[in-house]
Amino acid sequence: MKLSLEEKKRFKQQVERVLHIPGNYTGGILEMALVLDCRLSKAEVKEMAAELARLLKQQSPVFRNVRLNLVEWRPDEKLKSCVVPMSLLMLGSFAEDYRKSKGDLFADDLFSYLKLFQARSKLILVLSAGNVEIRREVLCHDACMPFLGRKLIWLAEGAEPAMSEFLQADRWGLLELKECRKES
């Protein structure tokens, strides 16, 4: 899976928007989170994570020294987080014990987790396989307020009707990767 030039441009614009939000953390080492929807295949995750890491490093010197929290989001399991150097993301060796899962994912669980454990992150990227559902929109909205939603960039490989409506209602970052093409 590769990003088109248009998608790269929109991604960089979204990152700039997040980095320059008034009140966003500016001191010390930058902390960010990358949430992986484990319904994606290992190859897709490795390729997309490497491409995102390259784009971030090219975009700003802020990403030279970053604490990256990698969050695995699986259906019907607790979210698991670990700290990974961005260089491992670029090499793809972060996903040695990655396993693909099947099932339904709910944004309520993710947003609640992010508010509790990743609120310090200056940037939160969510790499989604699509079709994420929302059980309780009020819970999601409360978790994203006052600042979590402004730090979030949702990268959706497939159609995200529920998330699209939810995120765009408050002008939070959604980047649907419609132009993504799989290369053989």
Side-chain angles (χ1 to χ4, degrees):
M1 173 174 31
K2 293 278 187 191
L3 293 177
S4 69
L5 289 175
E6 178 65 27
E7 289 166 340
K8 288 178 184 179
K9 181 181 172 185
R10 286 187 296 153
F11 175 71
K12 288 181 177 186
Q13 289 171 344
Q14 294 261 356
V15 170
E16 283 301 314
R17 177 191 56 82
V18 170
L19 292 177
H20 294 96
I21 289 174
N24 205 347
Y25 177 75
T26 56
I29 294 176
L30 170 70
E31 191 165 331
M32 67 175 280
L34 174 62
V35 180
L36 301 176
D37 180 341
C38 290
R39 297 176 301 167
L40 293 166
S41 72
K42 185 176 184 175
E44 290 173 319
V45 165
K46 287 173 80 170
E47 187 174 1
M48 192 64 186
E51 185 161 8
L52 292 175
R54 276 192 297 279
L55 285 171
L56 290 172
K57 289 234 183 211
Q58 290 171 358
Q59 180 164 354
S60 173
V62 170
F63 295 103
R64 285 191 189 136
N65 188 18
V66 65
R67 177 186 167 101
L68 176 65
N69 298 301
L70 190 66
V71 180
E72 290 185 4
W73 184 24
R74 298 183 186 287
D76 301 323
E77 289 184 32
K78 284 183 103 173
L79 281 90
K80 186 176 92 175
S81 178
C82 62
V83 177
V84 174
M86 194 171 277
S87 58
L88 287 184
L89 219 60
M90 292 169 63
L91 295 172
S93 56
F94 71 94
E96 296 305 318
D97 19 330
Y98 179 87
R99 62 181 166 78
K100 186 175 177 176
S101 301
K102 292 184 180 179
D104 295 330
L105 289 177
F106 299 98
D108 319 39
D109 303 331
L110 176 65
F111 290 148
S112 298
Y113 173 85
L114 291 174
K115 185 171 184 173
L116 287 174
F117 298 105
Q118 301 299 330
R120 283 181 29 165
S121 296
K122 185 168 182 161
L123 174 65
I124 301 171
L125 302 174
V126 179
L127 185 55
S128 169
N131 296 323
V132 174
E133 298 174 26
I134 298 175
R135 286 181 284 203
R136 295 170 297 203
E137 192 168 324
V138 173
L139 180 72
C140 289
H141 191 72
D142 289 346
C144 286
M145 295 305 272
F147 51 83
L148 186 66
R150 297 186 303 170
K151 299 176 178 186
L152 183 74
I153 299 176
W154 192 281
L155 301 142
E157 181 188 71
E160 287 279 22
M163 291 307 299
S164 177
E165 185 178 312
F166 175 75
L167 292 170
Q168 289 178 349
D170 287 306
R171 293 192 205 122
W172 292 327
L174 172 73
L175 180 60
E176 290 185 6
L177 306 178
K178 293 178 183 174
E179 298 171 27
C180 259
R181 57 203 174 280
K182 295 186 181 186
E183 300 193 2
S184 41

